[in-house]
Amino acid sequence: MITRLLVANRGEIARRVVRTCRALGVSPVAVFSDPDAGAPHVAESDLAVRLPGATPADTYLRSDLLVRAALDAGADAVHPGYGFLSENADFARAVLDAGLTWIGPPPEVIAAMGSKVEAKELMAGAGVPVLPELDPAEVTERDLPVLVKASAGGGGRGMRVVRSLADLPAEIAAAEAEAASAFGDGTVFCEPYVERGRHVEVQVLADQHGTVWAFDERDCSLQRRHQKVLEETPSPAVDEKLRAALRSAATAAATTIGYVGAGTVEFLLAPDGQFFFLETNTRLQVEHPVTECVTGLDLVRWQLAIAEGARLPATPPPARGHAIEVRLYAEVPAEGWRPSTGPLHRLTLPGQGADDSTSTVDSSVVEFQAGEADHGLRLDSGIVGSTVVGTHYDPMLAKVIAWGPTRTEAARRLAAALAGARVHGPATNRDLLVRVLRHPAFLAGDADTAFLTSHDLTAPLADRRAQELSALAAALADAAANAARARVQPGVPAGWRNLPSQPERKKYQAPEGELEIAYRVDRDGLTAEGFSDVALVEHGAERVVLDVAGVRVPLSVTAYGDEVFVDSALGPVALRRVPRFAEPGEAVAEGSLLAPMPGSVVAVEVVEGDQVHSGQSLVVLEAMKMRHAVRAPGDGVLRALRVAVGDQVDAGTVLAVVS
């Protein structure tokens, strides 16, 4: 019987495992790197062991440190979560060799599935359909387009679509470098690229006595940079006949390799209805909550029970309703999915309190899927307010999940929850997710892996007029806050005069450019330039109500220093106060190319004096486990190069000057 469990992971999945430990009476043990010393998963565990260092290579990827931590803490089992060493056969062996219980399949199974090349050969032998493997050195024009993939990869890393033979060598080299950095193995291979394919997968659960459960499929087709953004079950593209075939193939795959525990068999579904084996994930998946929501199961609870030798019933519970999960990332979709960093001040769904930013709205999985009113939303997150989003780890802030009796109801519920969420901090993909969930093509079930490249959904939810109204509300709230703090005549509006005077002026940087608000509040009410149809109903330091052409609009205003977040039915707007006078030394030389985020310089592809063209990659930064090319903003000559490979840079650092 497991009594104390070390969670060899961090963030959201660590908190998820801890939650089940609490329900079972198992004592959870956390591990943490130096940046994670104050993380929620540490505070919520009974014991915690420091892993000295900051990078994954020095901490969460050190199997020796993790095993030692488990032994020092008196744990009798290790749960690897997902990512990091969750699919590392050597780590599983080290855990077992130390006399600990491994929460996962046998090391031999992990090793067999760890190489995509070997895994495809095993599946082909079991009668599971597979795409042919192509030797990168032998790809011809007839084979195009092809997909370059990392043999030991996952999460979109080391993956490239190639449509021209001329591009193949460079893309292979880039894939090898990214794979070596992420997985310590730069081996890549090629396979035919299926246009407009869908990514579907089957959750399996297998005990030590030969029983295998294969659940209804999850559709994970909506992706960016080959990484999942939205997952749902069941898939709108799968009928009962295809569903049965997918479950049968997944069962055959699990049985062939002697699988034990929770895992996922992933398939590529072609437009003609054919499907092909992609890989087997020998761990819990990020998207496991959607399966929990439609079945009422706690998959982590079953992982622990199976490790203790429990038997599964003959058949799994039937699925009911529809569940959709989205991944809220700290990134800027309109800028090539550039990751964003900084303090996350608040993350709450409608109905949550300000201090309840990371617990599920309803933490009971069974009640969650069974309810149709208050239990249809779930928030799984590894962060709390004031957490600083850095560059060491994945940019996912949270998973937001909705259940509904139908797909339409689940999508509507999730879109409304996201649109009404308070997300105060780094830029996120929240607005894009809402637009996806409300898009006619998505609602019709027509979302393949190219959906985000074939539909431009990067515009903010708040249009230009909504941003202007939000800036006006921010200015009024700021004035109310200043008045409340005044030592003389507190409460009198700033700028108030007995006689008409010059308007108050405030500037804000908004998503679509700088806004200047000129307004005056006097005995006749609000007068604001450009807002002739707007009247002031109420204004305080955190709430402003405007009458816009006869429609009352309440706006919530929250300020953190110069950052101001305005939430309303018009759409959420993040603003930054622009000082009236610029600080000396803030200006940079014309043509300067600035680092869009903190990161490490991993490649410099030009030298001073080079003629460069618009869009050309000049410097490559690595942050949040992905590589990002910084490109020339226009044609010109590289006048200065300010960085070298290996440099660590902050956001805003001048990398080069082009003129």
Side-chain angles (χ1 to χ4, degrees), residues 196-202 215-222 230-244 246-247 267-270 273 275 290-291 294 319 321-324 406-408 442-449:
R196 298 190 61 80
R198 297 183 79 118
H199 184 140
V200 297
E201 62 189 29
V202 176
F215 296 88
D216 287 355
E217 77 293 334
R218 298 190 290 246
D219 194 316
C220 309
S221 300
L222 208 120
L230 180 151
E231 302 98 351
E232 61 180 310
T233 187
S235 169
V238 175
D239 58 22
E240 285 302 323
K241 181 179 179 181
L242 179 55
R243 181 164 295 123
L246 287 167
R247 284 198 301 253
F267 300 97
L268 181 66
L269 178 62
F275 65 88
V290 294
T291 296
V294 298
H322 200 100
I324 306 175
T406 67
R407 183 173 186 266
T408 299
F442 173 80
L443 292 173
D446 184 21
D448 55 36
T449 53

Side-chain angles (χ1 to χ4, degrees), residues 495 497 499-503 520:
R497 300 289 187 276
L499 299 173
S501 179
Q502 292 298 312
R520 185 174 65 246

